[in-house]
């Protein structure tokens, strides 16, 4: 549980730092940085998945969890809700927080 709290805390701190520093970066460079960070996060996730899937005792559980999570997210229209939250707080740059 400590890992979860640490993760949430670092995401919030990183979002605040990004929000403060973004004011000095032009939008085109900001978009490039956001894309680069997304690509890095994807690469780290794929690396973790590939290296740990062979060690997993229940690989089918991963597939079921992804399918169930996607189904529930689509059922409750999670994407629309997060986008409306982003629109509601348009003065704050919470896109990184929502993406995380």
């Amino acid at each position: 549980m400590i890992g979860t709290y640490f993760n949430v805390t670092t995401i919030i701190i990183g979002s605040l730092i990004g929000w403060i520093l973004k004011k000095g970066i032009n939008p085109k460079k900001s978009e490039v940085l956001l894309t680069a960070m997304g690509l890095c996060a994807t690469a780290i996730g794929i690396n973790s998945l590939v290296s740990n899937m062979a060690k997993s005792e229940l690989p089918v559980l991963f597939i079921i969890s992804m399918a169930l999570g996607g189904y529930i997210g689509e059922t409750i229209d999670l994407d629309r809700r997060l986008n409306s939250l982003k629109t509601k707080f348009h003065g704050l740059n919470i896109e990184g927080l929502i993406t995380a």
Side-chain angles (χ1 to χ4, degrees):
M1 194 67 170
I2 292 173
T4 302
Y5 292 133
F6 181 77
N7 191 22
V8 169
T9 303
T10 55
I11 288 171
I12 291 171
I13 290 171
S15 296
L16 289 172
I17 291 170
W19 177 61
I20 292 167
L21 295 178
K22 185 175 180 172
K23 294 178 183 178
I25 301 173
N26 74 31
K28 188 171 183 173
K29 289 180 183 172
S30 177
E31 183 68 27
V32 169
L33 289 173
L34 187 60
T35 302
M37 293 301 109
L39 181 59
C40 289
T42 302
I44 291 169
I46 290 171
N47 182 43
S48 178
L49 174 71
V50 169
S51 64
N52 291 312
M53 187 61 87
K55 300 174 196 172
S56 176
E57 294 179 16
L58 303 169
V60 176
L61 182 61
F62 171 75
I63 298 167
I64 292 170
S65 298
M66 292 296 289
L68 190 59
Y71 183 81
I72 291 171
E74 192 62 33
T75 301
I76 65 172
D77 201 9
L78 188 60
D79 187 49
R80 181 191 57 77
R81 291 174 186 229
L82 286 175
N83 284 329
S84 69
L85 183 67
K86 187 170 66 172
T87 304
K88 182 178 179 181
F89 295 103
H90 69 278
L92 298 175
N93 183 15
I94 60 170
E95 186 173 342
L97 182 62
I98 289 174
T99 302

